[in-house]
Amino acid sequence: MRLFELSTDTNTSSPVRAHRHISIDGLSMTGRRSSFAHSLLNSHFRLLILIVLILCIMIVVASGATAATAATSSIPDQKTPVIVTVVPNPVAENDVGEFIVVDTDGVSNLTLTDGESIITVPVVPGETVALSAAPNKTRQRVEIPVRQAAVGLSNGGEQLILNHQSERVHEVTYSDAPEGERLNATSMEWIPRGVELRSVTSTGSADVTAFVLPDTPAIPITAIQSANKRILLAGYTYASPPMTDALLSASDRGVRIQVLLEGSPVGGLSTAQRTQLNRLSNNGIVVQLLAGTPARFAYHHPKYAVIDNSAIVLSENWKPAGTGGKNSRGWGVHAHSRATASELASVFAHDSTGYDVIPWSQARTDIGFNEVLPATGQYPTQFDAELMSVDEIRVLTAPGNAGEAVRSRIDTAEKRIDVVSPRMNPSGPYFYALVDAAKRGIQVRLLLSDAWYDTDKNRAVVNRASELNATGLPIRAQIVTSGDQFGKIHAKGAIIDDRVALVGSLNWNEHAGTKNREVVLELVGDEPATYYSRVFIADWQGYEGTDTASRRGVNTESEPEYVPVLLALGALAAVIIAGYALYSTVLSDHP
């Protein structure tokens, strides 16, 4: 399917670029020289002439390049028309309703082409317009003006070019369009149908209660017990009898409660989860699963609860091993912030009203359940929960902004980065970002889980960090051995520059950042960073293995900072030698 011609203007050529050809004729040197020429064109004079000629050429070429740029720049200053979104493969027979969204930025005379035919892009109020061959179908999916255009997009791939007159101003190329998804032309990511990407949201300063698990499992329960109006609980899995007791008690007090969970977690749903969800549902609490197809998220993986005008965000699941304090090292924060609660309530409303949401009472009839023994570990309290002040809370969500926001924090770090994560891909973007930080001299430490299903990949991370550390980069990684303080690492968080703490559900891998629903709170302030740093250091020092600093290896992937300097010095030396040779052989006076 192609873009059908609607305009008689078929000028799709790219801008003509001005080129200047400069020739210097009539300059020759003979083997026989007169005494006058010999005295006049001595070595110093000829060197001066050569320098002047080079400067003249540079000036002419630069002015030519400026003239060429000016000649092709026909869009008004500060105007940037772009292709915003492409939806080539809607869930409809014959792809009826496919569309393209263009932000004209108020510029007229725009055309869109796939290289074979052209359509005209109208300027509309608000400047952003959707182009569709079936406007009525498309209007059901967007809230911007939709205009009739003979749009026909190939599911297998297209090259779409936005032109202003004859000038190419934006280009988008895609291949293999997934069904029902839209292409974000800025990030070049496919976004599932029904997912609205959110921006990072600052909710201002607030008091928070910082806590860790398994040390203080009472914090989430106590918060639930204090609810008066609403509880919105979002999670990946849920199998906590004490939490169910607290929710049922809140329901009896008249608190409005909704529970939203993943319908197909890795390993399936457990019989323990079935028991607890039946208890909730049978007593009138709204329980929903994201279990429909096509799914908006690969996994609904956040762990948060909105409780009246406060919110809890965790790295842990709502089950004995997690919030029950029976196994995992986890991080959590209770934000006493109306604005944070409001933002997460908005996320919950979006996620709980999608086409792939199924009531538990309906979903449970089609699900097979696995018998899984609950965690029963007992661990002492080493770190009490602490009430503290935060200068700023920023709400990060995935898909959409969390992955980019985390990597941006890494990229702007100035002193140190401490990361705790169940696992990490040594070939992934997060590890690369940490390596880049180490190249800038940032001290990087990475704490990983010893769970059997994470061991192989985490050993690869440790080995890679060891190799880099041996070359002089300040990066280290350790696999934490289970011990008396907790069963395994399950926290996902970081402390950056003793000033920023990240707490939430985001695993540091590309899939989680682009395909899963995840929620992270970024806490800006000295107090939360100090609290989680104390936990991190205790866990780091409690490690019973060999520190990566004692290992040695070869850096085969990333070069140390001094390598570019050496290369630059070598290049400079080569230029000096070449210049001397040129001077000696060509420009110097020979008898």
Side-chain angles (χ1 to χ4, degrees):
M1 302 171 66
R2 313 304 295 174
L3 296 175
F4 300 108
E5 184 172 350
L6 288 185
S7 170
T8 58
D9 180 8
T10 58
N11 182 12
T12 61
S13 61
S14 57
V16 177
R17 301 185 182 274
H19 298 278
R20 293 179 180 266
H21 178 73
I22 302 173
S23 62
I24 304 175
D25 299 323
L27 181 62
S28 63
M29 299 181 68
T30 64
R32 301 177 62 185
R33 305 175 183 175
S34 67
S35 60
F36 174 77
H38 180 73
S39 62
L40 180 62
L41 296 178
N42 57 61
S43 61
H44 298 292
F45 188 70
R46 289 200 300 273
L47 181 59
L48 179 61
I49 290 175
L50 180 60
I51 292 172
V52 171
L53 285 174
I54 292 173
L55 289 175
C56 291
I57 292 171
M58 291 174 64
I59 293 171
V60 172
V61 171
S63 63
T66 303
T69 301
T72 59
S73 179
S74 58
I75 297 179
D77 290 342
Q78 300 180 339
K79 294 290 186 178
T80 55
V82 293
I83 301 169
V84 177
T85 301
V86 182
V87 182
N89 191 9
V91 184
E93 186 175 358
N94 298 321
D95 292 341
V96 174
E98 60 190 3
F99 63 93
I100 304 169
V101 175
V102 176
D103 181 357
T104 68
D105 204 15
V107 176
S108 58
N109 299 320
L110 293 174
T111 57
L112 190 64
T113 178
D114 61 356
E116 297 181 1
S117 53
I118 300 172
I119 59 177
T120 300
V121 180
V123 177
V124 299
E127 300 178 350
T128 301
V129 60
L131 305 174
S132 173
N136 291 335
K137 290 285 186 180
T138 300
R139 288 188 183 101
Q140 299 173 15
R141 302 188 56 182
V142 300
E143 297 180 356
I144 59 174
V146 181
R147 296 293 183 264
Q148 177 82 38
V151 173
L153 300 171
S154 170
N155 295 342
E158 290 276 17
Q159 180 185 38
L160 302 174
I161 301 170
L162 183 66
N163 288 324
H164 178 251
Q165 297 174 353
S166 62
E167 177 186 358
R168 180 177 305 193
V169 295
H170 193 212
E171 177 182 322
V172 171
T173 302
Y174 70 87
S175 60
D176 299 326
E179 185 179 28
E181 299 190 9
R182 69 184 185 276
L183 179 65
N184 181 333
T186 300
S187 64
M188 293 307 293
E189 295 176 355
W190 289 101
I191 310 301
R193 176 168 64 99
V195 175
E196 296 301 326
L197 300 182
R198 311 179 73 85
S199 301
V200 173
T201 301
S202 174
T203 57
S205 60
D207 290 337
V208 305
T209 300
F211 64 99
V212 294
L213 296 161
D215 300 51
T216 53
I219 297 299
I221 296 288
T222 301
I224 295 293
Q225 291 171 340
S226 69
N228 293 314
K229 295 181 179 180
R230 66 174 178 178
I231 299 172
L232 308 174
L233 188 148
Y236 181 62
T237 58
Y238 178 100
S240 171
M243 185 64 67
T244 300
D245 293 340
L247 290 173
L248 292 177
S249 178
S251 180
D252 291 341
R253 299 195 305 271
V255 177
R256 177 175 62 86
I257 301 172
Q258 285 182 263
V259 176
L260 182 64
L261 303 167
E262 169 59 40
S264 301
V266 174
L269 274 68
S270 68
T271 54
Q273 181 160 338
R274 177 181 62 190
T275 298
Q276 299 309 317
L277 296 186
N278 279 340
R279 289 181 63 195
L280 295 174
S281 181
N282 293 344
N283 284 277
I285 292 177
V286 176
V287 179
Q288 299 169 303
L289 300 185
L290 279 86
T293 55
R296 288 175 294 164
F297 313 110
Y299 294 105
H300 181 258
H301 192 251
K303 303 94 165 56
Y304 69 91
V306 176
I307 304 164
D308 293 340
N309 291 318
S310 70
I312 287 181
V313 173
L314 298 145
S315 62
E316 302 312 295
N317 294 304
W318 306 96
K319 62 181 185 179
T323 56
K326 303 296 185 181
N327 188 291
S328 300
R329 163 64 81 215
W331 289 8
V333 59
H334 186 184
H336 310 286
S337 163
R338 180 187 295 268
T340 303
S342 177
E343 174 63 15
L344 290 177
S346 179
V347 174
F348 192 97
H350 172 274
D351 295 349
S352 63
T353 55
Y355 60 84
D356 54 351
V357 173
I358 299 176
W360 167 250
S361 56
Q362 174 185 337
R364 64 186 174 187
T365 62
D366 300 323
I367 295 176
F369 298 91
N370 302 316
E371 188 69 35
V372 178
L373 295 177
T376 58
Q378 297 292 326
Y379 302 95
T381 297
Q382 182 180 9
F383 298 98
D384 290 320
E386 292 186 16
L387 179 65
M388 61 190 64
S389 296
V390 177
D391 296 339
E392 181 186 18
I393 299 175
R394 301 173 79 225
V395 180
L396 318 181
T397 53
N401 65 69
E404 182 179 350
V406 168
R407 292 193 295 275
S408 176
R409 275 297 186 188
I410 294 172
D411 292 343
T412 57
E414 297 179 352
K415 295 186 297 183
R416 66 177 55 88
I417 303 170
D418 289 334
V419 179
V420 58
S421 178
R423 67 196 65 86
M424 188 167 291
N425 183 354
S427 300
Y430 294 88
F431 187 75
Y432 284 157
L434 293 173
V435 172
D436 287 341
K439 289 181 180 180
R440 303 194 312 272
I442 310 303
Q443 301 290 324
V444 177
R445 293 185 293 186
L446 178 57
L447 211 53
L448 303 167
S449 172
D450 69 341
W452 63 267
Y453 43 82
D454 291 324
T455 301
D456 289 344
K457 183 162 287 188
N458 286 346
R459 282 176 180 164
V461 174
V462 169
N463 291 337
R464 185 68 190 121
S466 298
E467 295 171 356
L468 295 169
N469 185 267
T471 68
L473 294 188
I475 181 170
R476 294 185 290 166
Q478 295 185 155
I479 297 175
V480 177
T481 304
S482 301
D484 295 334
Q485 292 303 132
F486 52 83
K488 67 177 184 297
I489 288 286
H490 194 255
K492 310 116 172 53
I495 309 105
I496 300 173
D497 289 341
D498 303 322
R499 179 65 180 165
V500 174
L502 300 169
V503 181
S505 65
L506 178 71
N507 285 304
W508 285 28
N509 61 67
E510 192 168 10
H511 184 273
T514 58
K515 301 298 183 183
N516 291 355
R517 167 60 86 208
E518 309 282 0
V519 168
V520 178
L521 291 191
E522 182 181 283
L523 310 174
V524 181
D526 296 338
E527 293 184 77
T530 299
Y531 177 85
Y532 294 109
S533 184
R534 289 204 309 268
V535 178
F536 181 93
I537 292 171
D539 292 345
W540 180 271
Q541 294 175 343
Y543 171 65
E544 298 176 357
T546 303
D547 182 25
T548 58
S550 66
R551 301 169 185 255
R552 292 294 179 264
V554 178
N555 180 4
T556 60
E557 188 172 339
S558 304
E559 58 191 20
E561 285 185 297
Y562 56 78
V563 171
V565 177
L566 292 177
L567 292 174
L569 290 174
L572 179 59
V575 170
I576 293 173
I577 293 171
Y580 180 79
L582 178 65
Y583 176 85
S584 300
T585 59
V586 178
L587 297 178
S588 63
D589 257 341
H590 295 287

